Amino acid sequence: MGRYNFRAQRVREGAARLAQASSTSSSLKSLPPTIPPWFEVMGRIPPAQTVVRTQPIRHQPALEAPNSRRPSRAFIPHQIKYEEDKLRKHFFQDHPWELARPTVVLENDGTNNQNYDWSHLRQPGHRIDGESVIQRQLWLINNQPDMTPAKAYDQARKEFYIFRLQEDVERNVAEEEALATGAYFGPSYLEIGMKIEDRSYESWRVWAAREVQKVDQRKSAATIGSGDDTPDDELSAMDQDVVPDDLDDVAVVPGVPAQ
């Protein structure tokens, strides 16, 4: 078969042989032949016989050098790139925590952004997020004269920061009003995280103390089993019998030669 695989074109032949074998078998004669639903359709509309992809029609003559070789990667599909891809990558590199915000996947079908007027950032019925900044920046690039991607990014980013600041102020005011009327929110996420961290630190401290105790026990066991059975009293007596370096301090006893 070489480099090509023709098994997909022989599926109908295999199904026909299987049905014929099941009808002629003595153990399966009582059962009706199993013919798949696509058997007749595939017989009327067989698959293509060619396995080579055709070249696209050239609307302009190709300018090729006389000694140029044919490209070896002619049948590899090109990468699909959009103008928003580079803008989206730049924004989320600068704002990675925007990806941590909860997002409803069903609210965007891929073409919703075409139904809004991105001459301003705030859109009715659309939650402002990183994609809003990207669409706003793209609108500025394509509709404002002498607008560079850097200037459009700065303008859209400043509008986004103002909106996030307004959200924080509204949230703080709502929390203060609720607390003033007797509401209780419980510990915050930061306090819960600190409690979990303290609990983990205490468990680590107990484990570390236990490991240090084990190391000390192993050291003491190795010292006892090294064969040094000299008592501590004898070691202290040996230390006292050491001859001093300065012999002038040694008392000379009459009739006893000096050592």
Side-chain angles (χ1 to χ4, degrees):
M1 295 178 63
R3 56 185 294 187
Y4 299 111
N5 190 356
F6 296 97
R7 285 182 295 180
Q9 299 179 359
R10 300 193 181 101
V11 173
R12 189 174 184 275
E13 299 177 5
R17 287 196 298 268
L18 182 61
Q20 184 180 2
S22 62
S23 61
T24 57
S25 177
S26 59
S27 61
L28 300 176
K29 283 184 178 180
S30 60
L31 298 177
T34 57
I35 298 177
W38 47 263
F39 186 81
E40 299 296 335
V41 178
M42 194 172 182
R44 292 192 300 267
I45 309 174
Q49 300 295 325
T50 177
V51 294
V52 179
R53 187 181 301 175
T54 58
Q55 291 282 352
I57 300 175
R58 294 183 179 273
H59 300 281
Q60 296 180 356
L63 301 178
E64 296 181 357
N67 298 328
S68 62
R69 295 183 300 175
R70 297 179 63 86
S72 60
R73 304 170 66 88
F75 298 110
I76 296 179
H78 297 282
Q79 294 183 357
I80 300 177
K81 297 181 179 179
Y82 295 94
E83 190 176 2
E84 298 94 331
D85 295 341
K86 188 176 181 180
L87 306 179
R88 189 177 292 111
K89 181 179 180 181
H90 186 199
F91 175 81
F92 287 111
Q93 280 182 348
D94 294 342
H95 308 81
W97 284 104
E98 285 297 321
L99 296 173
R101 292 181 179 271
T103 303
V104 180
V105 183
L106 298 178
E107 70 180 3
N108 190 0
D109 60 353
T111 59
N112 287 356
N113 295 324
Q114 301 176 4
N115 303 326
Y116 298 110
D117 179 19
W118 292 108
S119 59
H120 49 277
L121 187 63
R122 191 187 297 270
Q123 300 295 330
H126 185 274
R127 185 171 60 90
I128 295 181
D129 52 3
E131 193 65 28
S132 303
V133 180
I134 295 164
Q135 296 298 327
R136 171 63 173 161
Q137 180 183 2
L138 187 63
W139 187 91
L140 291 173
I141 295 174
N142 296 329
N143 294 275
Q144 294 291 337
D146 300 332
M147 179 64 69
T148 61
K151 292 181 180 179
Y153 178 69
D154 290 339
Q155 181 174 345
R157 183 167 50 88
K158 290 178 181 178
E159 296 176 1
F160 178 70
Y161 291 163
I162 292 173
F163 175 78
R164 283 283 185 251
L165 182 60
Q166 292 176 356
E167 281 188 340
D168 293 339
V169 172
E170 293 175 358
R171 191 181 302 109
N172 294 334
V173 170
E175 183 178 359
E176 291 177 359
E177 291 178 351
L179 291 174
T181 56
Y184 176 72
F185 295 101
S188 62
Y189 290 107
L190 182 60
E191 295 174 353
I192 295 174
M194 292 299 296
K195 290 181 179 178
I196 296 174
E197 184 177 353
D198 293 341
R199 194 181 306 119
S200 301
Y201 173 75
E202 287 297 328
S203 62
W204 174 85
R205 189 176 62 83
V206 173
W207 172 84
R210 193 182 302 115
E211 292 297 323
V212 171
Q213 185 178 4
K214 290 180 181 179
V215 171
D216 293 340
Q217 291 176 357
R218 285 196 296 266
K219 287 182 178 180
S220 60
T223 304
I224 294 174
S226 62
D228 189 3
D229 299 334
T230 305
D232 295 339
D233 297 338
E234 296 183 4
L235 291 177
S236 59
M238 291 173 62
D239 294 339
Q240 294 177 1
D241 294 339
V242 176
V243 178
D245 295 334
D246 192 1
L247 298 179
D248 295 335
D249 297 337
V250 178
V252 179
V253 180
V256 179
Q259 298 290 333

